[in-house]
Amino acid sequence: MSGRYRLTPRQRECLSEAQKGRTAAQIAHKLGISEHTVNSYFSEAYRRLGARNRAHAVALAVSLGEI
């Protein structure tokens, strides 16, 4: 894996929870952070992965071994 895709632990955690079908609100509750913060983690993960949306980001993260 190339270092250019490297996600932070929180970004990985959020994408992993999204892979399980959880919403941003559910992820926020589980992690004890705000929904806005979860969405910020997603946005930055999309940028780093070159993803178009949440499903695309999850698929890319799985295929790249990030989650």
Side-chain angles (χ1 to χ4, degrees), residues 19-36:
Q19 182 184 22
K20 298 171 187 170
R22 294 194 171 93
T23 65
Q26 291 168 326
I27 296 167
H29 179 73
K30 180 176 182 182
L31 300 180
I33 58 180
S34 74
E35 188 174 347
H36 175 78

Side-chain angles (χ1 to χ4, degrees), residues 8-62:
T8 68
R10 276 297 210 199
Q11 289 167 347
R12 282 190 209 96
E13 196 169 15
C14 288
L15 287 171
S16 179
E17 292 299 320
Q19 182 184 22
K20 298 171 187 170
R22 294 194 171 93
T23 65
Q26 291 168 326
I27 296 167
H29 179 73
K30 180 176 182 182
L31 300 180
I33 58 180
S34 74
E35 188 174 347
H36 175 78
T37 300
V38 170
N39 287 322
S40 293
Y41 287 136
F42 281 137
S43 293
E44 181 60 17
Y46 301 166
R47 187 190 67 73
R48 289 181 183 206
L49 294 168
R52 295 181 302 272
N53 55 43
R54 188 172 302 185
H56 189 211
V58 168
L60 286 171
V62 169

